[in-house]
Amino acid sequence: MCLPEKKIMDKFIVEGGNRLEGELEISGAKNAALPMMAASILTTGVNKFSGIPQVRDVNTMLHLLNHLGGRTEDFNEDRLLFDTTHINNYEASYDLVSTMRASCLVLGPLLARLGRAKVSLPGGCAIGARPLDLHIRGLELMGAKIRLEQGYIYGEVKRLRGTRYYFDTVSVTGTANLLMAATLAEGETILENVAKEPEVVFLADVLNQCGAKIKGQGTDTLVIQGVQSLEPIDCHIFPDRIEAGTYMIASAITGGNVKINNCLPRQVETLTLKLRQAGMIVEETETSVRVISDGSFNGVNIKTQPYPGFATDLQAQFMALMTLAQGQSIILETIFENRFMHAAELKRMGADITLQGRTAIVNGVKRLSGAPLMATDLRASASLVLAALAAEGESVISRVYHIDRGYFNIEEKLYRLGAKIRRKK
Ligand code: EPZ
């Protein structure tokens, strides 16, 4: 059973200029759910998940896992029961991997479980080349024979064995892939310069609950003692920090007063500091953040970095905010080489942005005006929605299927806060 696909040609019609006010609930984290679902391949039995966000990428992963021989027992609201007893197919086809790069997360688990994998190379995407060389090199060091042929990664191994591996670049899914593979490998694996994102820490913690022996999560080095088998997963996915951050900026850019519930404030701490620096009031409890803005704020600089640095997944949304700041903001994108696609669209709304390589210089303007806009990737699309909420007049945002990949019911959540936004089928 899969989620219904939202129509590919859907548009958002946004009438800007309304202050957002009220409360909303954050959904489960997409980027925590996807690796957890892929990790179910390492187990045999019925895996239980709650807090699964009903977004298109989750749908794609579920489709892939069913294709591999798994069975969706139940998928209702945010609860998923998934049986991995009969996983026997080892191919992740181009169709699936090209629509969602995170499909590559099945590579490590398939090699660990079946000793074979055929996973399509994802190719470049809207935000950069995004190769998989770090994943491949690590798996080779673990004894897998890998060849690249006709756009596919073919992997084969009798049983993966422990190794010592240093990531030249910090990679989130690279860390997840090798971590999952190492849980069932023979002997000890040491992974260095790993990602410390909450999604990776969570993956390690849940795998430990299933019987894995992983130490060091949240530090630069992971040490994994391989085990023979893992128990099925039973976990609750934590709230999406990028979704929370997006609504924090929505409140800020509209001069709003929004309380964001079901969120972990420490995971958005870097954004909170930047919003305060810009002049917002940000109030925190254990599980909520409130952003209060009077609509006038200063330009501040940001530099995207691996966690706990400023998240690249919030860069586009923050740029939208900075277009209306007083003064200048310098935005440095260090993670992806081409993650400024939204800048051209924001400029069409009247923003003053100059791009110089990986740097964007944003000079705040007094107002943005609504325009027909084109969404190019998930977070870029979110930034256009935010800009449209603050702009004068109407914006029509096409290709919102990008947004549906990672935001559950964004238009409804915004509408309930007072935004004038509707989906046109
Ligand atoms: C994850 O992508 C997230 N996706 C991305 O979220 C996020 O933007 C990114 O991490 C950075 O935080 C998921 O968790 C499913 P990386 P990932 O490997 O793992 C280079 C969103 O909007 N690299 O950490 O694919 C790479 O090109 C998405 O929700 C190599 O060179 O990113 C990039 O420059 C988009 N070789 C850098 O590392 C490799 O083998 C970091 O990428 C792997 C990565």
PDB file of all heavy atoms in Angstrom, residues 233-270:
ATOM      1  N   ILE A 233      13.352  -3.615  13.346  1.00  0.00           N
ATOM      2  CA  ILE A 233      13.349  -2.251  13.918  1.00  0.00           C
ATOM      3  C   ILE A 233      11.987  -1.932  14.532  1.00  0.00           C
ATOM      4  O   ILE A 233      10.947  -2.309  13.983  1.00  0.00           O
ATOM      5  CB  ILE A 233      13.643  -1.238  12.780  1.00  0.00           C
ATOM      6  CG1 ILE A 233      15.047  -1.474  12.207  1.00  0.00           C
ATOM      7  CG2 ILE A 233      13.456   0.193  13.239  1.00  0.00           C
ATOM      8  CD1 ILE A 233      15.270  -0.841  10.842  1.00  0.00           C
ATOM      9  N   ASP A 234      12.011  -1.205  15.636  1.00  0.00           N
ATOM     10  CA  ASP A 234      10.784  -0.667  16.215  1.00  0.00           C
ATOM     11  C   ASP A 234      11.143   0.747  16.669  1.00  0.00           C
ATOM     12  O   ASP A 234      11.796   0.918  17.688  1.00  0.00           O
ATOM     13  CB  ASP A 234      10.338  -1.535  17.408  1.00  0.00           C
ATOM     14  CG  ASP A 234       8.989  -1.079  17.957  1.00  0.00           C
ATOM     15  OD1 ASP A 234       8.516  -0.017  17.539  1.00  0.00           O
ATOM     16  OD2 ASP A 234       8.429  -1.803  18.793  1.00  0.00           O
ATOM     17  N   CYS A 235      10.790   1.750  15.877  1.00  0.00           N
ATOM     18  CA  CYS A 235      11.266   3.098  16.237  1.00  0.00           C
ATOM     19  C   CYS A 235      10.240   4.182  15.890  1.00  0.00           C
ATOM     20  O   CYS A 235       9.351   3.983  15.065  1.00  0.00           O
ATOM     21  CB  CYS A 235      12.594   3.404  15.540  1.00  0.00           C
ATOM     22  SG  CYS A 235      12.441   3.766  13.795  1.00  0.00           S
ATOM     23  N   HIS A 236      10.404   5.306  16.564  1.00  0.00           N
ATOM     24  CA  HIS A 236       9.584   6.482  16.279  1.00  0.00           C
ATOM     25  C   HIS A 236      10.504   7.547  15.678  1.00  0.00           C
ATOM     26  O   HIS A 236      11.499   7.929  16.286  1.00  0.00           O
ATOM     27  CB  HIS A 236       8.932   7.000  17.563  1.00  0.00           C
ATOM     28  CG  HIS A 236       8.083   8.209  17.329  1.00  0.00           C
ATOM     29  ND1 HIS A 236       6.823   8.133  16.796  1.00  0.00           N
ATOM     30  CD2 HIS A 236       8.350   9.527  17.501  1.00  0.00           C
ATOM     31  CE1 HIS A 236       6.329   9.346  16.660  1.00  0.00           C
ATOM     32  NE2 HIS A 236       7.231  10.207  17.080  1.00  0.00           N
ATOM     33  N   ILE A 237      10.168   8.008  14.488  1.00  0.00           N
ATOM     34  CA  ILE A 237      11.008   8.995  13.795  1.00  0.00           C
ATOM     35  C   ILE A 237      10.848  10.370  14.458  1.00  0.00           C
ATOM     36  O   ILE A 237       9.723  10.830  14.670  1.00  0.00           O
ATOM     37  CB  ILE A 237      10.598   9.104  12.300  1.00  0.00           C
ATOM     38  CG1 ILE A 237      10.617   7.727  11.612  1.00  0.00           C
ATOM     39  CG2 ILE A 237      11.472  10.112  11.559  1.00  0.00           C
ATOM     40  CD1 ILE A 237      11.954   7.072  11.462  1.00  0.00           C
ATOM     41  N   PHE A 238      11.950  11.022  14.751  1.00  0.00           N
ATOM     42  CA  PHE A 238      11.894  12.326  15.434  1.00  0.00           C
ATOM     43  C   PHE A 238      11.481  13.427  14.442  1.00  0.00           C
ATOM     44  O   PHE A 238      11.506  13.223  13.221  1.00  0.00           O
ATOM     45  CB  PHE A 238      13.246  12.633  16.112  1.00  0.00           C
ATOM     46  CG  PHE A 238      14.413  12.751  15.175  1.00  0.00           C
ATOM     47  CD1 PHE A 238      14.694  13.938  14.526  1.00  0.00           C
ATOM     48  CD2 PHE A 238      15.253  11.664  14.946  1.00  0.00           C
ATOM     49  CE1 PHE A 238      15.766  14.056  13.653  1.00  0.00           C
ATOM     50  CE2 PHE A 238      16.341  11.767  14.084  1.00  0.00           C
ATOM     51  CZ  PHE A 238      16.593  12.965  13.439  1.00  0.00           C
ATOM     52  N   PRO A 239      11.100  14.608  14.964  1.00  0.00           N
ATOM     53  CA  PRO A 239      10.579  15.666  14.085  1.00  0.00           C
ATOM     54  C   PRO A 239      11.628  16.224  13.112  1.00  0.00           C
ATOM     55  O   PRO A 239      12.825  16.207  13.409  1.00  0.00           O
ATOM     56  CB  PRO A 239      10.140  16.770  15.051  1.00  0.00           C
ATOM     57  CG  PRO A 239      10.225  16.205  16.412  1.00  0.00           C
ATOM     58  CD  PRO A 239      11.056  14.981  16.387  1.00  0.00           C
ATOM     59  N   ASP A 240      11.135  16.701  12.005  1.00  0.00           N
ATOM     60  CA  ASP A 240      11.990  17.163  10.907  1.00  0.00           C
ATOM     61  C   ASP A 240      12.554  18.558  11.210  1.00  0.00           C
ATOM     62  O   ASP A 240      11.817  19.545  11.261  1.00  0.00           O
ATOM     63  CB  ASP A 240      11.154  17.202   9.623  1.00  0.00           C
ATOM     64  CG  ASP A 240      12.015  17.313   8.378  1.00  0.00           C
ATOM     65  OD1 ASP A 240      12.890  18.199   8.354  1.00  0.00           O
ATOM     66  OD2 ASP A 240      11.817  16.513   7.447  1.00  0.00           O
ATOM     67  N   ARG A 241      13.857  18.631  11.385  1.00  0.00           N
ATOM     68  CA  ARG A 241      14.471  19.912  11.765  1.00  0.00           C
ATOM     69  C   ARG A 241      14.452  20.906  10.595  1.00  0.00           C
ATOM     70  O   ARG A 241      14.420  22.119  10.792  1.00  0.00           O
ATOM     71  CB  ARG A 241      15.901  19.704  12.297  1.00  0.00           C
ATOM     72  CG  ARG A 241      16.863  19.123  11.301  1.00  0.00           C
ATOM     73  CD  ARG A 241      18.165  18.662  11.957  1.00  0.00           C
ATOM     74  NE  ARG A 241      18.943  17.847  11.045  1.00  0.00           N
ATOM     75  CZ  ARG A 241      19.958  18.296  10.325  1.00  0.00           C
ATOM     76  NH1 ARG A 241      20.356  19.544  10.441  1.00  0.00           N
ATOM     77  NH2 ARG A 241      20.613  17.499   9.504  1.00  0.00           N
ATOM     78  N   ILE A 242      14.457  20.386   9.363  1.00  0.00           N
ATOM     79  CA  ILE A 242      14.457  21.306   8.218  1.00  0.00           C
ATOM     80  C   ILE A 242      13.047  21.858   7.999  1.00  0.00           C
ATOM     81  O   ILE A 242      12.867  23.036   7.695  1.00  0.00           O
ATOM     82  CB  ILE A 242      14.988  20.605   6.944  1.00  0.00           C
ATOM     83  CG1 ILE A 242      16.377  19.992   7.212  1.00  0.00           C
ATOM     84  CG2 ILE A 242      15.015  21.584   5.764  1.00  0.00           C
ATOM     85  CD1 ILE A 242      17.457  20.978   7.643  1.00  0.00           C
ATOM     86  N   GLU A 243      12.056  21.010   8.221  1.00  0.00           N
ATOM     87  CA  GLU A 243      10.677  21.511   8.138  1.00  0.00           C
ATOM     88  C   GLU A 243      10.472  22.580   9.222  1.00  0.00           C
ATOM     89  O   GLU A 243       9.924  23.661   8.953  1.00  0.00           O
ATOM     90  CB  GLU A 243       9.658  20.372   8.308  1.00  0.00           C
ATOM     91  CG  GLU A 243       8.241  20.835   8.005  1.00  0.00           C
ATOM     92  CD  GLU A 243       7.145  19.881   8.479  1.00  0.00           C
ATOM     93  OE1 GLU A 243       7.430  18.943   9.243  1.00  0.00           O
ATOM     94  OE2 GLU A 243       5.982  20.107   8.102  1.00  0.00           O
ATOM     95  N   ALA A 244      10.935  22.288  10.435  1.00  0.00           N
ATOM     96  CA  ALA A 244      10.788  23.258  11.534  1.00  0.00           C
ATOM     97  C   ALA A 244      11.483  24.568  11.170  1.00  0.00           C
ATOM     98  O   ALA A 244      10.911  25.660  11.316  1.00  0.00           O
ATOM     99  CB  ALA A 244      11.381  22.683  12.822  1.00  0.00           C
ATOM    100  N   GLY A 245      12.696  24.466  10.664  1.00  0.00           N
ATOM    101  CA  GLY A 245      13.462  25.666  10.281  1.00  0.00           C
ATOM    102  C   GLY A 245      12.747  26.469   9.212  1.00  0.00           C
ATOM    103  O   GLY A 245      12.738  27.703   9.224  1.00  0.00           O
ATOM    104  N   THR A 246      12.113  25.761   8.274  1.00  0.00           N
ATOM    105  CA  THR A 246      11.399  26.449   7.188  1.00  0.00           C
ATOM    106  C   THR A 246      10.247  27.285   7.758  1.00  0.00           C
ATOM    107  O   THR A 246      10.037  28.435   7.353  1.00  0.00           O
ATOM    108  CB  THR A 246      10.882  25.415   6.161  1.00  0.00           C
ATOM    109  OG1 THR A 246      11.994  24.666   5.682  1.00  0.00           O
ATOM    110  CG2 THR A 246      10.173  26.080   4.993  1.00  0.00           C
ATOM    111  N   TYR A 247       9.510  26.715   8.724  1.00  0.00           N
ATOM    112  CA  TYR A 247       8.393  27.481   9.313  1.00  0.00           C
ATOM    113  C   TYR A 247       8.897  28.599  10.228  1.00  0.00           C
ATOM    114  O   TYR A 247       8.235  29.628  10.376  1.00  0.00           O
ATOM    115  CB  TYR A 247       7.421  26.548  10.038  1.00  0.00           C
ATOM    116  CG  TYR A 247       6.620  25.705   9.061  1.00  0.00           C
ATOM    117  CD1 TYR A 247       6.863  24.352   8.921  1.00  0.00           C
ATOM    118  CD2 TYR A 247       5.655  26.295   8.259  1.00  0.00           C
ATOM    119  CE1 TYR A 247       6.154  23.588   7.995  1.00  0.00           C
ATOM    120  CE2 TYR A 247       4.941  25.549   7.334  1.00  0.00           C
ATOM    121  CZ  TYR A 247       5.190  24.195   7.207  1.00  0.00           C
ATOM    122  OH  TYR A 247       4.491  23.466   6.284  1.00  0.00           O
ATOM    123  N   MET A 248      10.067  28.397  10.834  1.00  0.00           N
ATOM    124  CA  MET A 248      10.645  29.487  11.630  1.00  0.00           C
ATOM    125  C   MET A 248      10.911  30.689  10.715  1.00  0.00           C
ATOM    126  O   MET A 248      10.607  31.838  11.041  1.00  0.00           O
ATOM    127  CB  MET A 248      11.964  29.033  12.290  1.00  0.00           C
ATOM    128  CG  MET A 248      11.764  28.047  13.431  1.00  0.00           C
ATOM    129  SD  MET A 248      13.308  27.250  13.944  1.00  0.00           S
ATOM    130  CE  MET A 248      14.114  28.580  14.840  1.00  0.00           C
ATOM    131  N   ILE A 249      11.450  30.399   9.545  1.00  0.00           N
ATOM    132  CA  ILE A 249      11.746  31.485   8.604  1.00  0.00           C
ATOM    133  C   ILE A 249      10.442  32.065   8.037  1.00  0.00           C
ATOM    134  O   ILE A 249      10.345  33.267   7.789  1.00  0.00           O
ATOM    135  CB  ILE A 249      12.703  30.990   7.493  1.00  0.00           C
ATOM    136  CG1 ILE A 249      14.023  30.526   8.128  1.00  0.00           C
ATOM    137  CG2 ILE A 249      12.957  32.081   6.452  1.00  0.00           C
ATOM    138  CD1 ILE A 249      14.996  29.854   7.173  1.00  0.00           C
ATOM    139  N   ALA A 250       9.432  31.213   7.873  1.00  0.00           N
ATOM    140  CA  ALA A 250       8.130  31.709   7.383  1.00  0.00           C
ATOM    141  C   ALA A 250       7.566  32.749   8.349  1.00  0.00           C
ATOM    142  O   ALA A 250       7.036  33.787   7.942  1.00  0.00           O
ATOM    143  CB  ALA A 250       7.155  30.543   7.220  1.00  0.00           C
ATOM    144  N   SER A 251       7.706  32.475   9.646  1.00  0.00           N
ATOM    145  CA  SER A 251       7.217  33.436  10.638  1.00  0.00           C
ATOM    146  C   SER A 251       8.047  34.720  10.550  1.00  0.00           C
ATOM    147  O   SER A 251       7.511  35.832  10.546  1.00  0.00           O
ATOM    148  CB  SER A 251       7.325  32.826  12.042  1.00  0.00           C
ATOM    149  OG  SER A 251       6.771  33.697  12.987  1.00  0.00           O
ATOM    150  N   ALA A 252       9.358  34.527  10.447  1.00  0.00           N
ATOM    151  CA  ALA A 252      10.253  35.687  10.405  1.00  0.00           C
ATOM    152  C   ALA A 252       9.969  36.586   9.197  1.00  0.00           C
ATOM    153  O   ALA A 252       9.860  37.804   9.325  1.00  0.00           O
ATOM    154  CB  ALA A 252      11.704  35.198  10.368  1.00  0.00           C
ATOM    155  N   ILE A 253       9.802  35.984   8.041  1.00  0.00           N
ATOM    156  CA  ILE A 253       9.707  36.779   6.805  1.00  0.00           C
ATOM    157  C   ILE A 253       8.357  37.490   6.680  1.00  0.00           C
ATOM    158  O   ILE A 253       8.241  38.508   5.979  1.00  0.00           O
ATOM    159  CB  ILE A 253       9.983  35.882   5.558  1.00  0.00           C
ATOM    160  CG1 ILE A 253      10.369  36.734   4.341  1.00  0.00           C
ATOM    161  CG2 ILE A 253       8.812  34.990   5.214  1.00  0.00           C
ATOM    162  CD1 ILE A 253      10.892  35.934   3.158  1.00  0.00           C
ATOM    163  N   THR A 254       7.332  36.959   7.367  1.00  0.00           N
ATOM    164  CA  THR A 254       6.009  37.589   7.260  1.00  0.00           C
ATOM    165  C   THR A 254       5.719  38.511   8.446  1.00  0.00           C
ATOM    166  O   THR A 254       4.583  38.959   8.617  1.00  0.00           O
ATOM    167  CB  THR A 254       4.880  36.525   7.185  1.00  0.00           C
ATOM    168  OG1 THR A 254       4.926  35.734   8.387  1.00  0.00           O
ATOM    169  CG2 THR A 254       5.014  35.632   5.972  1.00  0.00           C
ATOM    170  N   GLY A 255       6.739  38.752   9.280  1.00  0.00           N
ATOM    171  CA  GLY A 255       6.492  39.577  10.473  1.00  0.00           C
ATOM    172  C   GLY A 255       5.530  38.876  11.404  1.00  0.00           C
ATOM    173  O   GLY A 255       4.673  39.503  12.031  1.00  0.00           O
ATOM    174  N   GLY A 256       5.660  37.579  11.494  1.00  0.00           N
ATOM    175  CA  GLY A 256       4.666  36.761  12.170  1.00  0.00           C
ATOM    176  C   GLY A 256       4.976  36.436  13.619  1.00  0.00           C
ATOM    177  O   GLY A 256       5.957  36.914  14.209  1.00  0.00           O
ATOM    178  N   ASN A 257       4.097  35.599  14.172  1.00  0.00           N
ATOM    179  CA  ASN A 257       4.255  35.103  15.544  1.00  0.00           C
ATOM    180  C   ASN A 257       3.756  33.664  15.522  1.00  0.00           C
ATOM    181  O   ASN A 257       2.576  33.404  15.705  1.00  0.00           O
ATOM    182  CB  ASN A 257       3.442  35.978  16.506  1.00  0.00           C
ATOM    183  CG  ASN A 257       3.588  35.515  17.950  1.00  0.00           C
ATOM    184  OD1 ASN A 257       4.041  34.402  18.233  1.00  0.00           O
ATOM    185  ND2 ASN A 257       3.201  36.380  18.870  1.00  0.00           N
ATOM    186  N   VAL A 258       4.665  32.734  15.262  1.00  0.00           N
ATOM    187  CA  VAL A 258       4.270  31.343  15.057  1.00  0.00           C
ATOM    188  C   VAL A 258       4.979  30.450  16.055  1.00  0.00           C
ATOM    189  O   VAL A 258       6.196  30.560  16.248  1.00  0.00           O
ATOM    190  CB  VAL A 258       4.617  30.883  13.613  1.00  0.00           C
ATOM    191  CG1 VAL A 258       4.315  29.404  13.428  1.00  0.00           C
ATOM    192  CG2 VAL A 258       3.845  31.711  12.592  1.00  0.00           C
ATOM    193  N   LYS A 259       4.198  29.569  16.678  1.00  0.00           N
ATOM    194  CA  LYS A 259       4.773  28.578  17.589  1.00  0.00           C
ATOM    195  C   LYS A 259       4.839  27.245  16.852  1.00  0.00           C
ATOM    196  O   LYS A 259       3.830  26.768  16.336  1.00  0.00           O
ATOM    197  CB  LYS A 259       3.918  28.464  18.855  1.00  0.00           C
ATOM    198  CG  LYS A 259       4.510  27.519  19.872  1.00  0.00           C
ATOM    199  CD  LYS A 259       3.807  27.672  21.221  1.00  0.00           C
ATOM    200  CE  LYS A 259       4.349  26.637  22.192  1.00  0.00           C
ATOM    201  NZ  LYS A 259       3.330  25.736  22.689  1.00  0.00           N
ATOM    202  N   ILE A 260       6.025  26.698  16.820  1.00  0.00           N
ATOM    203  CA  ILE A 260       6.253  25.461  16.076  1.00  0.00           C
ATOM    204  C   ILE A 260       6.375  24.334  17.090  1.00  0.00           C
ATOM    205  O   ILE A 260       7.344  24.273  17.849  1.00  0.00           O
ATOM    206  CB  ILE A 260       7.526  25.625  15.211  1.00  0.00           C
ATOM    207  CG1 ILE A 260       7.248  26.704  14.159  1.00  0.00           C
ATOM    208  CG2 ILE A 260       7.930  24.324  14.548  1.00  0.00           C
ATOM    209  CD1 ILE A 260       8.393  27.574  13.852  1.00  0.00           C
ATOM    210  N   ASN A 261       5.351  23.483  17.131  1.00  0.00           N
ATOM    211  CA  ASN A 261       5.328  22.387  18.106  1.00  0.00           C
ATOM    212  C   ASN A 261       5.922  21.118  17.519  1.00  0.00           C
ATOM    213  O   ASN A 261       6.082  20.991  16.309  1.00  0.00           O
ATOM    214  CB  ASN A 261       3.884  22.104  18.533  1.00  0.00           C
ATOM    215  CG  ASN A 261       3.274  23.280  19.271  1.00  0.00           C
ATOM    216  OD1 ASN A 261       3.932  23.892  20.117  1.00  0.00           O
ATOM    217  ND2 ASN A 261       2.032  23.612  18.943  1.00  0.00           N
ATOM    218  N   ASN A 262       6.189  20.162  18.395  1.00  0.00           N
ATOM    219  CA  ASN A 262       6.808  18.892  18.007  1.00  0.00           C
ATOM    220  C   ASN A 262       8.100  19.152  17.254  1.00  0.00           C
ATOM    221  O   ASN A 262       8.300  18.703  16.128  1.00  0.00           O
ATOM    222  CB  ASN A 262       5.853  18.045  17.150  1.00  0.00           C
ATOM    223  CG  ASN A 262       6.406  16.647  16.948  1.00  0.00           C
ATOM    224  OD1 ASN A 262       7.026  16.083  17.846  1.00  0.00           O
ATOM    225  ND2 ASN A 262       6.216  16.092  15.766  1.00  0.00           N
ATOM    226  N   CYS A 263       8.971  19.919  17.888  1.00  0.00           N
ATOM    227  CA  CYS A 263      10.262  20.188  17.255  1.00  0.00           C
ATOM    228  C   CYS A 263      11.329  20.145  18.343  1.00  0.00           C
ATOM    229  O   CYS A 263      11.038  20.307  19.523  1.00  0.00           O
ATOM    230  CB  CYS A 263      10.176  21.521  16.519  1.00  0.00           C
ATOM    231  SG  CYS A 263      11.241  22.817  17.062  1.00  0.00           S
ATOM    232  N   LEU A 264      12.560  19.830  17.947  1.00  0.00           N
ATOM    233  CA  LEU A 264      13.649  19.740  18.927  1.00  0.00           C
ATOM    234  C   LEU A 264      14.544  20.971  18.756  1.00  0.00           C
ATOM    235  O   LEU A 264      15.372  21.011  17.847  1.00  0.00           O
ATOM    236  CB  LEU A 264      14.432  18.440  18.724  1.00  0.00           C
ATOM    237  CG  LEU A 264      13.597  17.166  18.910  1.00  0.00           C
ATOM    238  CD1 LEU A 264      14.349  15.917  18.479  1.00  0.00           C
ATOM    239  CD2 LEU A 264      13.147  17.040  20.371  1.00  0.00           C
ATOM    240  N   PRO A 265      14.356  21.997  19.623  1.00  0.00           N
ATOM    241  CA  PRO A 265      15.046  23.274  19.430  1.00  0.00           C
ATOM    242  C   PRO A 265      16.563  23.158  19.302  1.00  0.00           C
ATOM    243  O   PRO A 265      17.181  23.898  18.556  1.00  0.00           O
ATOM    244  CB  PRO A 265      14.673  24.065  20.685  1.00  0.00           C
ATOM    245  CG  PRO A 265      13.394  23.490  21.133  1.00  0.00           C
ATOM    246  CD  PRO A 265      13.448  22.036  20.784  1.00  0.00           C
ATOM    247  N   ARG A 266      17.169  22.190  19.990  1.00  0.00           N
ATOM    248  CA  ARG A 266      18.646  22.127  19.900  1.00  0.00           C
ATOM    249  C   ARG A 266      19.097  21.738  18.487  1.00  0.00           C
ATOM    250  O   ARG A 266      20.196  22.048  18.070  1.00  0.00           O
ATOM    251  CB  ARG A 266      19.217  21.171  20.949  1.00  0.00           C
ATOM    252  CG  ARG A 266      18.885  19.740  20.731  1.00  0.00           C
ATOM    253  CD  ARG A 266      19.565  18.808  21.724  1.00  0.00           C
ATOM    254  NE  ARG A 266      19.246  17.437  21.403  1.00  0.00           N
ATOM    255  CZ  ARG A 266      18.094  16.845  21.684  1.00  0.00           C
ATOM    256  NH1 ARG A 266      17.158  17.513  22.317  1.00  0.00           N
ATOM    257  NH2 ARG A 266      17.872  15.590  21.328  1.00  0.00           N
ATOM    258  N   GLN A 267      18.212  21.089  17.734  1.00  0.00           N
ATOM    259  CA  GLN A 267      18.590  20.701  16.366  1.00  0.00           C
ATOM    260  C   GLN A 267      18.508  21.874  15.379  1.00  0.00           C
ATOM    261  O   GLN A 267      18.991  21.766  14.254  1.00  0.00           O
ATOM    262  CB  GLN A 267      17.679  19.572  15.866  1.00  0.00           C
ATOM    263  CG  GLN A 267      17.910  18.259  16.579  1.00  0.00           C
ATOM    264  CD  GLN A 267      17.116  17.130  15.960  1.00  0.00           C
ATOM    265  OE1 GLN A 267      16.316  17.328  15.054  1.00  0.00           O
ATOM    266  NE2 GLN A 267      17.345  15.924  16.463  1.00  0.00           N
ATOM    267  N   VAL A 268      17.862  22.969  15.809  1.00  0.00           N
ATOM    268  CA  VAL A 268      17.793  24.152  14.925  1.00  0.00           C
ATOM    269  C   VAL A 268      18.499  25.338  15.579  1.00  0.00           C
ATOM    270  O   VAL A 268      18.265  26.495  15.218  1.00  0.00           O
ATOM    271  CB  VAL A 268      16.321  24.526  14.564  1.00  0.00           C
ATOM    272  CG1 VAL A 268      15.742  23.566  13.548  1.00  0.00           C
ATOM    273  CG2 VAL A 268      15.441  24.599  15.793  1.00  0.00           C
ATOM    274  N   GLU A 269      19.387  25.036  16.502  1.00  0.00           N
ATOM    275  CA  GLU A 269      20.058  26.066  17.292  1.00  0.00           C
ATOM    276  C   GLU A 269      20.818  27.081  16.419  1.00  0.00           C
ATOM    277  O   GLU A 269      20.761  28.291  16.663  1.00  0.00           O
ATOM    278  CB  GLU A 269      21.036  25.361  18.252  1.00  0.00           C
ATOM    279  CG  GLU A 269      21.556  26.207  19.400  1.00  0.00           C
ATOM    280  CD  GLU A 269      20.455  26.709  20.329  1.00  0.00           C
ATOM    281  OE1 GLU A 269      19.539  25.927  20.649  1.00  0.00           O
ATOM    282  OE2 GLU A 269      20.515  27.884  20.719  1.00  0.00           O
ATOM    283  N   THR A 270      21.489  26.588  15.391  1.00  0.00           N
ATOM    284  CA  THR A 270      22.285  27.505  14.557  1.00  0.00           C
ATOM    285  C   THR A 270      21.370  28.510  13.858  1.00  0.00           C
ATOM    286  O   THR A 270      21.685  29.702  13.778  1.00  0.00           O
ATOM    287  CB  THR A 270      23.095  26.707  13.508  1.00  0.00           C
ATOM    288  OG1 THR A 270      23.642  25.576  14.165  1.00  0.00           O
ATOM    289  CG2 THR A 270      24.200  27.520  12.913  1.00  0.00           C
TER     290      THR A 270
END
